[in-house]
Every structure is written in structure tokens, then in C-alpha cells.
Amino acid sequence: MNFCPEEVLEHIFEFVTSHKDRNSMSLVCKTWYQVERESRYGVFIGNCYAINPVRLIKRFPRVRSLTLKGKPHFADFNLVPHGWGGFVDPWIKALAKACPGLEELRLKRMVVSDESLDLLSRSFVNFRSLVLVSCEGFSTDGLAAVAANCRNLQELDLQENDVDDRRGHWLSCFPESCTSLVSLNFACLKGEINLSALERLVARNPNLRSLRVNRAVPFEMLQKILIKAPKLTDLGTGSFVHDSDSETYHTLKSAMTNCKSISSLSGFLDVASCCLPAVYPLCANLISLNLSYASGINGNELVKLIGHCKKLQHLWILDCIGDDGLRVVADTCNELEELRVFPSDPFGPGNAAVTEQGLVAICSGCPKLHSLLYFCQQMTNAALITVAKNCPNFIRFRLCILDPVRPDPITMQPLDEGFGAIVQSCKRLKRLSISGRLTDSVFFYIGTYAEQLEMLSVAFAGDSDNAMLYVLNGCKKLRKLEIRDCPFGNMALLKDVGKYETMRSLWMSSCELTLGGCKTLARKMPMLNVEIINENDQVEIIPDNNDRQKVEKMYLYRTLVGPRPDAPDFVWTL
Amino acid sequence: MEMVGGEEDRRLEETELRLGLPGGRASEGETAVAVIKCGGKRGFSETVDLMLNLSTKETLMDLNDKVKRNLAKENDDPVKPPAKALVVGWPPVRSFRKNILAVQKSDVKESEMMSGGAAFVKVSMDGAPYLRKVDLKIYKGYQELSNALGNMFSSFTVGMIDFMNVCKLMDLLNGSDYVPTYEDKDGDWMLVGDVPWEMFVESCKRLRIMRGKEAIGLAPRAMEKCKNRS
């Protein structure tokens, strides 16, 4: 019984923006479903193949902001062959026809073409925000179209994309009438840009709050930018190399001294240590610092810099900071919430400079830490247990030991107990990546204690199918599970097929799955797409007695729209 | 996909588990070789020389194209990581990031080659039958370089010559005295001694000790300097 007029419902629903809440609301009754869908402006699609553009538009005709994710996460590490999928083209085409009111598009791990960027730029009058993360397939020509045609563009944010830089003048394509920019990030582009065009662009966009330039923008430009962008809160430097005795350097340093608003700093792809003191004036106000591309800064300089950053909440650095450097971070940055330590030499001969000691130091000094990504040389159970005690608030805990099966170097034991302590103590843990020598036990702990776990990444771990079963049975909120090089086979896969309908996706590569097992799963679960990635014709689908063949890569996901029509030759949907 | 029986067998063979050392097969470079299993477990250290057969359209870095794992058991030398094992997609670092680091490394190597290490330049002296080479990096300044050059070419000259004393040279221009010059990065011939030493080392491509008469074109500046000094 509904005694509330729809207009009132709609008005109330306006205050609810979270996707999860909205999804829940739509399940209450038919009226609520209708009101909700017609008033939903922001739609999040975690797997672009779970639904298709036609159905999206049918259900949410007024969509204004769309987030789409394409390839599976392990595509980041070259495990998914080129051409697998994640094409945004059909989405843009469909939206261009049916949703001219589209304002925002956020894409992650998708293939974007210049044609689709061009179509986007011409189809949506109110388009204001384009965010591309880890995408590929486009060039600066596509960016030129966006710059030229999107009259009300506020945000163009390119993060770690693989862009074909045609070294044209895409930046110059922003017309004189473009004055609405709030955020511009082109740090991932490799080519030259027109510097005076950049200067003029900054000058005529007074609301610019975030600017991240690329390597081609020299040191001398920074001071000009700072003067012309007084509202800047987020700065990504380009090349940070100059003679520190020069007037340019001193001018920049005083410009920085006057910048009270900058709270986020990144860039430094090219950097000379002697220039770093220029940014010291900013440090006291910094909340976020990303030096993870600054391989030109040695550990001591890093430490000196960070020593000034008492308010830091987010820190991304390279492991050349060392355990000692992390101790300084622990002493200085007591507000730290997120830390990422990347390997400066991923394939080096084991010279990684951080160990469990750095992590222990951080966790004792930074009680607010809730998100961690830590690449290290080694880890001990004792350290993990200490970490679990000092930081029970972890939401994301990703540990990567560079040698993936390294046990505790002191006790020679697997790291089961350490990770067990983490999941037991961190009751809010949503994302976990484990590494090191691990047996079935760690999976038992995860299944038993990680009640809020939504995403789990596993590599070179476990002894038997039981491990995978512990997780599938125990983690009720599991959405994404990705496994590589583990001895899990058909038994684990097929034990509880209904589980996969409650999850977004499952990735298994270099495990013990056979074609027969995957076929069985596909047969039992028509609501799943069970895809085999068959590189180099390793697996033959005909004749039928090849069911015993091992499947190297399997990716399955729930979907409402059946097998995808754009799968390439090497992808078989069973 | 239609397969001839023989080919099919070969492919099955390739994916079949078997014990054996790697390297026994050869077909188009690399083949998929089996994994050694012990007791149903597959451990990182137990796998042997797994070489993936990858097509060229892969976007993998060269390092990742080969997967080489050693035979070392976990128990041996536990503290030291196993000898360089390269696994596809490990460590899990985004390719974008890996590429950036790789570029930065090669830039460093390049600039090290150019400015670090040694800075050997050819030295020619007009009239000398052969050239010499000096490493500019081992000298702390112009005086040291001058002494070294003097020693080097003393066999071709009569008496000791102070290359750096341009003023003295200017006085004796009509004689057979010499002037040190160098070719810089831009290809111009410059008089040695005008710029700070470090900058000189950075920009000097070769040295030429010119006969005084030929250095007349460079003389005016030197005259200026002499005047300023005295």
C-alpha cells in the first residue's frame, strides 16, 4: 500500500546517492522500483559485460553519470591478451542516441577509440567529466576532439592510460571559450605539448583545482602555473629538473611558499634531488603525496622531504625509502591512512629495500592506517601479528612479497599465522592480497574470520582444493576472487556453483582446472559466462574427448545478457 | 577447428604432465613445457623451466616472455631468494608503472654513460703524427689538464709549453706556440679555459691543440681576457 505520492518519493530519493542503497530501495516494491529507476542519475557497472547498453538505458533512462569497468584486474599484469574485450564503443553509441543528457563517464580497464571519443564529444551537450583509468586504444587525436567540442568540460582525468601520443596540439584545441575546467590530468602522456597554450589555458580557467602535467612540461612552467591558478589544491609536476642556483628555482620556491591551498602533490617523473627543497614550503599542508614514479630521488632525500609532511594521510612511494625511511614516516606522519610502497626494481636481483621491519614501524606509528599496498623483500609471522594488533582498522591489506613463495625467513614457517592474525583482528577488512609461502591453513582463517571480505587475490598458495572451498563457503560477502598458480581444480570449482551468482567474477589461471570442469559449470549455471582464454591454441574444443585438457585461464562472471558478442577468437564462452 | 591427428597428438603432448628436464623440445623457439608436480602440489620452486609459447601480439615486456624457474629447493639457502626467476605477471605491478621505471632506468644509464664514468676525448696536436685520448674526469681542473697534455705531447715539442697561459702565448703568436681549443656539443670550436671546469668536461667532445697562427681568430677574446687580468 502506497500512500506517498511519487513526487514525494522522488524528492526523498534524491538524498540517497549510494549505489548499494539505491539498489536496495529498488527492491522494496514496484512503485519504489519505478520511482528509483527514473530518478537514478549515477549508475555504476562493475563489469561491462554483466549488462548491455540497451538494458541500461531501458532501466535508467535518465542516467547522467556512468561508471564502467572492463577487463579483469589481472589484465594489469599482462595476464589478459590484447584484444580480449572491454570496448566502450557500443556504450557510447547507444548513449549518444538515447541519453543526450549524459554528463560524466568514468572508465577503467576499457578499450577506448578515437572515434568513440569524437562521438562522445559531439553527442552530449552537458558533458562535463571524463575519467579514464588504465584504458587504451586511443590517441591524442581523440583528446583533441574532447577538448575542442565539450563546451562545458570540467574534468579531464587521464590516469595511467596507454595513449598513442601523436604529438599534435590537442591541448591547443581547448577553445578560448573554455573557462570551466576544474580538473586536468595528462600526466600519463608522453609527448610534447604546447606550453604557451597550457599557460593560457590555466589563465582562463580560474576554477582550476587540480592540474597534473606530464614530463614534457619543464620546471620553468611551474611557477607560471602556480601564479595563474590560485585555487589549485592538487598539483602534479612535470619535469622537476633545474639548476638549483638559478633565479627560476628561487622564484618557484617563493611561489610555493605562497601556496597555502595545495594539499596534494604528485609527478616528479624526472627529478633532480637538488630541486626538491623547492617543494618543502608545501609540505606542511600536504595531505596526499605520490612519489611513486620518482625513481630519481634517493632514500635520504625522500626522508628529508617526508620529514616535513606532518599532516600526510596518503603516501605513495618507492621502496628505496628503506625500512629506516619508513621509521621516519612512522614518526612524522601520524595521520597516515593510506600507504603504498612500490618496488623500484621489480625484476632486480632482490635488492628490495623494505622488509617486515618497515611495516611494523609504520603500523606502530600510524594507528589510523586502513589501506596498505606493500611490496617487500620478506615478511614474518611475528611482524604480521604485531601489525594486526596495532592496526585493527585495515579495510584494504595487500602484501606482495617479491619472491612469491617465500616463507618466514626466521622461522621458515609459512605465513599462515600472520595473515590469520590479520583477518582475525581486522574485522572491517574488505580487500586482501596474500603472498609468501602459504598452505591451506591461511584459507581456513580467511574463510572463518574475513566476514566482510569482498575481494581476494591469491597467487602460488595453498595445497589442495579445500583451500578454495574454505573461502567460497566462508566469505559471504565475497564479490571478486582472483587466483593464479594454485593447485585448485574442478572439485573446488564445482562444489558450490550457486556461489558464483552472488559474486561479480572469478579468475583462475595456471590452476588445475580442466575443460570438462569448466563445461560442467557452464552447463549448470546459465546465468554465468564461463570464458576460457585460449592463447596459442593450447586447448582444442573439438572433439569432445578433450575434456581432460587443462585450462590455462578461466574468467567467469555473472551476467544478465548471455555470452558477449564481441569475444575474440581466442576467447570461448562455454 | 579441424586438426590433423598427428598435430593433435603433439598438442596434447605439449600440455601433458610429465617429468623431465626442460629444453628437450624445439619448435618455433619456445614450447609449453610441463610442470613437475610433487605429491599433487605445485609450488613455485618445484616448477621447472616453464617456458610459455607466446605470440608476438602479446603486450608483455621482453622480461616476461620467458619464464625461467630454477630447480633450487625451498630448503636450500632460504634467506637468499632463488636465483632470478621471471614469472609472467609477477610481481603484480601495472605495466604502465613498469614501463615508466624501465624508461627512467635506461635514461639514467644513458646519462651515466655520457656524464658518469669516464669522459674520454681525443686530443690532436697540429703536427703530431698521432692523436691521444684523455679522460677528462680524472683531472680536477684546467691546470692539471694542461700539465697532462704537456707531458703527453712533450716529445713533439721543443721545451715545455704552458698551454693554459694564453697571455704568454699571445705574446708569442708569431712563433710556433700552441693554443688549446675544443669542440663543444654544438660543434663549435672554442678556446679552452673560458667556462667553469665542470661545464667544460660536460660539453667537450674533442680537444685540438692548435698552432698559434691558426688560433688568430680566437685571439681577440683572449686579448680581452689578458687585458682584464692585468
Side-chain angles (χ1 to χ4, degrees), chain A residues 76-79 81-82 108-109 133-134 160-161 188 215 269 292-293 295 316 342-348 350 375 400-407 412 435 437 459-460 463 484-485 487 510-512 535-538 540 542-543 546 549-550 570 572, chain B residues 1-3 8 11-12 15 17 32 37 39-46 50 52-55 57-61 63-64 69 74-75 78-82 84-98 100-101 103-105 107-108:
Chain A
D76 281 350
F77 318 129
N78 292 333
L79 289 179
H82 187 75
K108 187 168 185 180
R109 272 183 231 111
V133 180
S134 293
E160 298 191 340
N161 300 292
C188 64
R215 231 174 147 169
L269 272 83
S292 63
Y293 287 109
S295 62
W316 292 26
F342 293 95
S344 48
D345 194 3
F347 304 107
F375 286 84
C400 178
I401 302 170
L402 290 167
D403 172 359
V405 287
R406 193 147 187 216
M412 296 317 295
S435 62
R437 168 80 113 172
F460 302 102
D463 305 317
R484 63 164 293 181
D485 292 276
S510 303
C511 296
E512 304 296 321
E535 291 168 284
N536 314 305
D537 301 323
Q538 277 167 358
E540 287 311 308
I542 302 160
N546 285 350
Q549 286 181 89
K550 280 285 160 63
F570 56 83
W572 295 334
Chain B
M1 221 177 293
E2 296 291 313
M3 295 294 299
E8 189 186 327
R11 283 171 194 271
L12 266 182
T15 57
L17 294 177
K37 281 168 55 112
K41 300 184 205 182
R42 180 207 301 212
F44 177 78
S45 63
E46 289 162 335
L50 190 70
L52 293 175
N53 187 2
L54 297 167
S55 65
K57 65 185 175 182
E58 302 287 9
T59 54
L60 296 168
M61 284 174 72
L63 279 172
N64 277 334
R69 304 179 196 197
E74 266 313 296
N75 302 326
V79 178
K80 197 176 72 178
K84 237 350 198 350
L86 297 172
V87 181
V88 175
W90 194 269
V93 175
R94 268 192 191 160
S95 350
F96 181 86
R97 184 175 289 279
K98 275 189 201 154
I100 299 257
L101 287 180
V103 166
Q104 287 173 339
K105 269 221 191 87
D107 280 355
V108 165

Side-chain angles (χ1 to χ4, degrees), chain B residues 6-179:
Chain B
E7 275 183 280
E8 189 186 327
D9 287 345
R10 183 168 62 81
R11 283 171 194 271
L12 266 182
E13 218 180 55
E14 282 179 333
T15 57
E16 199 184 351
L17 294 177
R18 54 168 72 166
L19 292 175
L21 291 175
R25 308 149 174 256
S27 78
E28 296 170 45
E30 283 135 344
T31 58
V33 178
V35 164
I36 287 188
K37 281 168 55 112
C38 303
K41 300 184 205 182
R42 180 207 301 212
F44 177 78
S45 63
E46 289 162 335
T47 54
V48 181
D49 252 324
L50 190 70
M51 291 190 285
L52 293 175
N53 187 2
L54 297 167
S55 65
T56 49
K57 65 185 175 182
E58 302 287 9
T59 54
L60 296 168
M61 284 174 72
D62 288 337
L63 279 172
N64 277 334
D65 281 357
K66 278 203 177 67
V67 174
K68 285 185 285 189
R69 304 179 196 197
N70 62 7
L71 271 166
K73 298 277 190 295
E74 266 313 296
N75 302 326
D76 296 345
D77 217 355
V79 178
K80 197 176 72 178
K84 237 350 198 350
L86 297 172
V87 181
V88 175
W90 194 269
V93 175
R94 268 192 191 160
S95 350
F96 181 86
R97 184 175 289 279
K98 275 189 201 154
N99 291 341
I100 299 257
L101 287 180
V103 166
Q104 287 173 339
K105 269 221 191 87
S106 66
D107 280 355
V108 165
K109 276 208 183 101
E110 209 182 283
S111 63
E112 251 173 26
M113 269 164 49
M114 305 236 298
S115 66
F120 278 102
V121 297
K122 284 185 191 170
V123 187
S124 61
M125 178 163 151
D126 291 352
Y130 48 79
L131 279 64
R132 301 295 302 269
K133 250 194 170 167
V134 291
D135 177 4
L136 295 176
K137 291 258 167 165
I138 66 177
Y139 305 115
K140 294 204 185 64
Y142 287 115
Q143 197 52 52
E144 274 191 31
L145 175 64
S146 167
N147 295 340
L149 290 177
N151 289 335
M152 246 185 220
F153 289 101
S154 58
S155 48
F156 305 124
T157 62
V158 177
M160 293 296 290
I161 294 174
D162 183 350
F163 288 112
M164 294 305 130
N165 195 338
V166 179
C167 293
K168 220 204 266 177
L169 288 176
M170 292 306 112
D171 294 341
L172 304 165
L173 251 180
N174 291 327
S176 57
D177 282 316
Y178 294 87
V179 176

